[in-house]
Amino acid sequence: MAEHRPHVAIIGGGISGLAAAQALLHGAEAAHHSLDVTVFEGDTRLGGKIRTTPFAGMPALDEGADAFLARVPWAVGFAQAVGLGDQLISPAIGKAAVWWHGLQPIPEGLLLGMPTDIMKLARTPLLSWRGKLRAATEPLRPRTNVGTGPGADSIGAYVRSRFGAEVHERLVDPLVGSIYAADTDRFSLTAVPQLADLANQPGRSVLLAARHRPPAPTGPVFFAPNGGVGALIDAAAGEVQRHGGTITTGHTVEQLSRDGARWRVDGEAFDAVILACPAPAAARLLANDPAFATAHGALASVDTADVVLVSVAVPLASWPERLTGLSGYLVPKPVQRLVTATSFASQKWAHLHSPTSVLLRISLGRDGLPVMHLDDDAVLAAALGETSEHLGVTLQPTDVRISRWAGAFPQYRPLHHERVGAAEASLPATLTLAGASHHGIGIPACIRSAQRAAGATLTALFDTEE
């Protein structure tokens, strides 16, 4: 009798699903196992919240994420594994600003807005002298609990307790909030590894602990493929298919059920399933089995935030020279209306430079700041009006593109990690979770989560102790 060849279903064709498929196929090959993998994607295209399309004469401008962290290994290694290692580029300009009654340079010595050098903080015009003095008292403050008490896993509560309201509102919240579309008063500290590591250093003081941290790595902070982040999706899909994986688009999975030791995905039999879809979709698939009540409850409780990204091209001749050294700016919540950040894309990335235009990517909306109810005219008016006011120049675009991202950003409420851990512990070994809803937002975190799920699946299917 022929040996049974396991078949794994991956539900979700974004970066998490494709990375899980790639890791499964490569891992099985390396261990000399036979394995079939099928990726199901409900949309007619792959990539999820990653999309790169032509704009304003440029062959590729990202409509969502435009880079990934270079100083963690997962996305860089994945790009190399799918053949893009020699196509990674870093921003030409890394100097950004915060709009606080004018554009103010982001001070040096910050870690996601958290001060690590009080002398550098003292020179910034972003804070009042009262705010600076409050921040300087941080080494004298008693240790702040990062455990399980009320507010203890909130970024806002932690930063205010250490450095005061001004540091939180004008530095940490704009920086972290722009990455996660978050209200950091309701966002988990533990879910942001850089801040969690700093908060969990021995001793009570962040500033004193920062003195003993190893120096920051040299080299680029961010990378992106020179064809845009969408190139990562195309390369990953090609790699999966070259190694025998099947990718099915336009198929929204409606039913997941147990069939003895196996699974049924819309009636088709599989030996294991990886849920690499957003939490609401995963919760829907688990809703009808009482054995999955814990996981269903945890996944159904994951909130999301909507954002709209407006890309515009404005004539270079109208662009003030005083802005040429910046990659963009952030808007703190106390002075926000709808615009939360603006990236000067053609200054940030050398390959987007144009002799005639400046390309901007304007972000609107976040957790607690809804925008999806606005029609395109209202979105564009807000984007152009607010950004023109911030920059002190009237923007008159020659090209406009509006990209709407409903539910794009999972919101990690305090103690999110505990709820996800309980959900995962309640699931059988052949049913795993991957993606931004669970283990971290951002391309590297999604890839790491996918590889973790793939490794657990391979262990469940092929006992490594045999």
Side-chain angles (χ1 to χ4, degrees):
M1 177 179 286
E3 181 182 355
H4 174 66
R5 182 182 177 98
H7 194 178
V8 180
I10 298 175
I11 301 175
I15 187 63
S16 301
L18 294 173
Q22 186 267 351
L24 281 171
L25 293 166
H26 280 242
E29 287 179 10
H32 306 290
H33 293 307
S34 297
L35 183 70
D36 290 324
V37 174
T38 297
V39 177
F40 294 98
E41 169 55 45
D43 203 342
T44 55
R45 67 171 189 89
L46 297 170
K49 303 304 186 290
I50 293 174
R51 184 164 66 205
T52 307
T53 55
F55 178 73
M58 292 292 174
L61 182 69
D62 290 303
E63 298 190 46
D66 69 341
F68 54 78
L69 283 172
R71 294 179 180 176
V72 293
W74 302 288
V76 177
F78 183 72
Q80 294 168 341
V82 299
L84 296 182
D86 60 351
Q87 298 180 35
L88 297 181
I89 56 175
S90 57
I93 295 176
K95 184 180 178 183
V98 171
W99 193 87
W100 185 258
H101 309 295
L103 292 176
Q104 311 292 348
I106 295 177
E108 297 179 354
L110 301 181
L111 180 64
L112 284 183
M114 191 93 83
T116 61
D117 187 322
I118 199 65
M119 296 308 296
K120 291 178 179 177
L121 190 70
R123 293 192 287 269
T124 179
L126 268 170
L127 305 181
S128 69
W129 278 108
R130 179 175 294 180
K132 293 172 185 176
L133 288 172
R134 170 61 180 85
T137 68
E138 191 274 340
L140 306 177
R141 304 275 163 176
R143 183 175 179 86
T144 303
N145 177 33
V146 193
T148 58
D153 191 34
S154 157
I155 293 173
Y158 181 81
V159 176
R160 283 192 175 94
S161 73
R162 301 310 312 165
F163 293 100
E166 286 192 17
V167 166
H168 174 251
E169 290 179 349
R170 304 181 195 181
L171 292 173
V172 176
D173 189 66
L175 283 162
V176 177
S178 69
I179 296 170
Y180 298 101
D183 176 351
T184 55
D185 282 318
R186 302 203 303 153
F187 204 89
S188 168
L189 175 70
T190 307
V192 183
Q194 300 96 317
L195 296 185
D197 288 348
L198 203 57
N200 285 301
Q201 292 286 330
R204 68 175 185 270
S205 170
V206 172
L207 287 173
L208 295 179
R211 294 180 183 178
H212 303 291
R213 288 173 63 86
T218 58
V221 177
F222 297 103
F223 275 142
N226 57 18
V229 177
L232 198 62
I233 299 299
D234 296 338
E239 183 74 2
V240 168
Q241 291 170 324
R242 278 192 297 275
H243 287 265
T246 300
I247 297 175
T248 303
T249 57
H251 182 151
T252 299
V253 173
E254 299 293 343
Q255 187 175 41
L256 171 67
S257 59
R258 291 182 292 183
D259 183 8
R262 304 183 75 197
W263 299 91
R264 292 280 172 178
V265 176
D266 286 349
E268 185 177 354
F270 292 89
D271 297 277
V273 176
I274 296 177
L275 295 173
C277 49
R284 174 180 59 81
L285 292 172
L286 299 179
N288 295 324
D289 191 330
F292 301 145
T294 298
H296 171 264
L299 298 178
S301 71
V302 176
D303 294 329
T304 61
D306 309 327
V307 297
V308 176
L309 195 145
V310 179
S311 303
V312 299
V314 298
L316 181 60
S318 67
W319 188 249
E321 186 176 351
R322 59 186 166 81
L323 300 175
T324 56
L326 288 175
S327 61
Y329 67 94
L330 310 169
V331 185
K333 286 187 179 62
V335 291
Q336 271 181 13
R337 282 171 284 171
L338 290 177
V339 171
T340 60
T342 296
S343 170
F344 305 159
S346 56
Q347 294 186 169
K348 180 178 178 181
W349 299 102
H351 70 288
L352 296 177
H353 287 182
S354 164
T356 58
S357 298
V358 175
L359 304 182
L360 309 181
R361 296 178 356 123
I362 306 169
S363 299
L364 298 87
R366 57 165 171 80
D367 183 29
L369 185 64
V371 289
M372 295 298 284
H373 63 288
L374 300 173
D375 63 22
D376 285 357
D377 289 342
V379 165
L380 183 59
L384 295 179
E386 293 181 34
T387 305
S388 294
E389 181 181 323
H390 294 154
L391 300 181
V393 59
T394 301
L395 299 179
Q396 296 181 318
T398 57
D399 295 88
V400 171
R401 181 179 68 192
I402 297 176
S403 306
R404 294 177 177 269
W405 297 108
F409 288 86
Q411 296 301 298
Y412 295 164
R413 302 302 181 210
L415 307 182
H416 170 85
H417 61 292
E418 292 187 2
R419 291 186 290 275
V420 170
E424 292 183 312
S426 73
L427 296 175
T430 54
L431 179 62
T432 52
L433 304 174
S437 291
H438 319 300
H439 308 119
I441 297 170
I443 292 171
C446 287
I447 292 170
R448 183 187 190 188
S449 174
Q451 292 172 345
R452 175 176 173 266
T457 300
L458 289 172
T459 298
L461 293 176
F462 307 106
D463 188 350
T464 56
E465 295 181 356
E466 288 183 354

